[in-house]
Amino acid sequence: MDIIIILGYAAAILIGVSLGLIGGGGSILTVPVLVYILHIDPVLATAYSLFVVGTTSLVGAGNYMKSGLVDYKTAVVFAIPSFIAVFLTRKFLVPWLPDPLFSMGDVAISKSVGIMVFFALIMLAASYSMIKEKKKGGEDENGEVKFNIPLIALEGSVVGVITGIVGAGGGFLIIPALVLLARLPMKLAVGTSLLIIAAKSLIGFLGDISTQTIDWQMLLIFTGLSVVGIFIGSALSKKINDKALKKGFGWFVLVMGIYIIGKELMNL
């Protein structure tokens, strides 16, 4: 087996580990691995990412469901508009995007470059949310904030569009929404987020089956290794400090985002 393929499959395990450790971050690793290590077209890579992250998150959500750490009411309110947004985005918006997206003088920005740069910007936003220190007393779970159905639904729609474009599960956007708008405790928010990510990503992937040629053998092997990784990550999470892990992963994501932007701009 080619060494590049071995590296790609090894990275698949790390993707699962990240989901098992912090309940997110899988897509942030999946798309760069597929594009830069396995040399898969960015548009197809986002489709593969939806399947990999969706399946792996479903396994992770199962563990939280067994422990009663999933709020199904919140999941439904958030997920329905998100499902619709991600499916329509993958089915219509992504295929509709022109290639090149636009030109600036003699420089043409292709669809692939545009998707990767947009993905990198999402990575930078994710890294900020993971690195920054939360202000003590800034979150009062016993306050008078009500369960805000319209805002939760709107957030679901926005995350659905982002998921559809870049193949990102959106855990770094979903969890803050669940904590602040639905007032869920952190562990309950993580479990609920994994269930939403799983359903949303897999439904989004359905929009690609008719528009993309899927290498099922490679995809299933990659996904299977990622599932193995989530069990490893879940076991390790009991031994590693959550705050230190989240911040360290945030710095890694920041570096990766800057690298992707630099690499894509150099290729123009």
Side-chain angles (χ1 to χ4, degrees):
M1 186 180 291
D2 190 279
I3 186 64
I4 297 299
I5 296 177
I6 294 175
L7 287 174
Y9 285 158
I13 298 176
L14 294 179
I15 290 164
V17 170
S18 75
L19 281 166
L21 283 171
I22 62 175
S27 57
I28 288 174
L29 293 174
T30 306
V31 173
V33 166
L34 293 173
V35 172
Y36 296 121
I37 297 181
L38 297 179
H39 304 295
I40 293 173
D41 176 77
V43 175
L44 182 58
T46 60
Y48 284 0
S49 176
L50 289 173
F51 184 83
V52 174
V53 174
T55 303
T56 308
S57 296
L58 184 61
V59 174
N63 294 329
Y64 280 86
M65 292 166 70
K66 291 177 183 177
S67 302
L69 293 174
V70 173
D71 187 310
Y72 296 100
K73 175 185 175 182
T74 302
V76 170
V77 172
F78 189 100
I80 290 177
S82 188
F83 292 166
I84 296 171
V86 71
F87 181 80
L88 294 178
T89 299
R90 294 304 301 186
K91 184 71 174 178
F92 300 107
L93 178 58
V94 173
W96 173 81
L97 291 174
D99 194 8
L101 291 174
F102 58 90
S103 300
M104 295 184 297
D106 296 330
V107 179
I109 307 298
S110 69
K111 180 193 282 192
S112 295
V113 170
I115 287 176
M116 291 308 297
V117 170
F118 183 60
F119 183 81
L121 294 176
I122 296 298
M123 291 177 73
L124 296 182
S127 68
Y128 175 75
S129 70
M130 287 185 280
I131 292 170
K132 72 174 182 178
E133 294 283 352
K134 291 184 179 179
K135 295 181 180 179
K136 293 183 179 179
E139 258 177 39
D140 182 8
E141 292 187 0
N142 297 315
E144 297 182 356
V145 180
K146 296 181 180 179
F147 184 84
N148 196 323
I149 292 179
L151 277 179
I152 294 172
L154 178 61
E155 177 81 6
S157 299
V158 172
V159 173
V161 172
I162 293 174
T163 295
I165 294 175
V166 303
F172 67 95
L173 294 173
I174 296 173
I175 291 175
L178 297 181
V179 171
L180 297 175
L181 302 180
R183 299 183 64 234
L184 298 184
M186 188 61 189
K187 286 187 178 180
L188 193 60
V190 170
T192 304
S193 174
L194 283 173
L195 181 61
I196 294 170
I197 290 170
K200 176 165 56 66
S201 298
L202 291 174
I203 289 176
F205 178 74
L206 293 177
D208 288 297
I209 293 178
S210 62
T211 60
Q212 301 284 348
T213 301
I214 309 296
D215 183 346
W216 285 104
Q217 181 178 0
M218 186 282 293
L219 183 58
L220 291 175
I221 292 174
F222 194 97
T223 303
L225 291 171
S226 184
V227 169
V228 170
I230 202 169
F231 286 111
I232 297 173
S234 297
L236 290 175
S237 66
K238 300 173 183 178
K239 303 178 181 179
I240 301 177
N241 180 275
D242 288 344
K243 289 184 178 179
L245 177 68
K246 188 175 183 180
K247 182 172 289 189
F249 189 77
W251 283 109
F252 170 74
V253 171
L254 176 64
V255 172
M256 282 292 296
I258 294 172
Y259 169 78
I260 290 174
I261 291 175
K263 183 175 178 63
E264 294 300 329
L265 293 180
M266 287 178 63
N267 291 333
L268 293 178

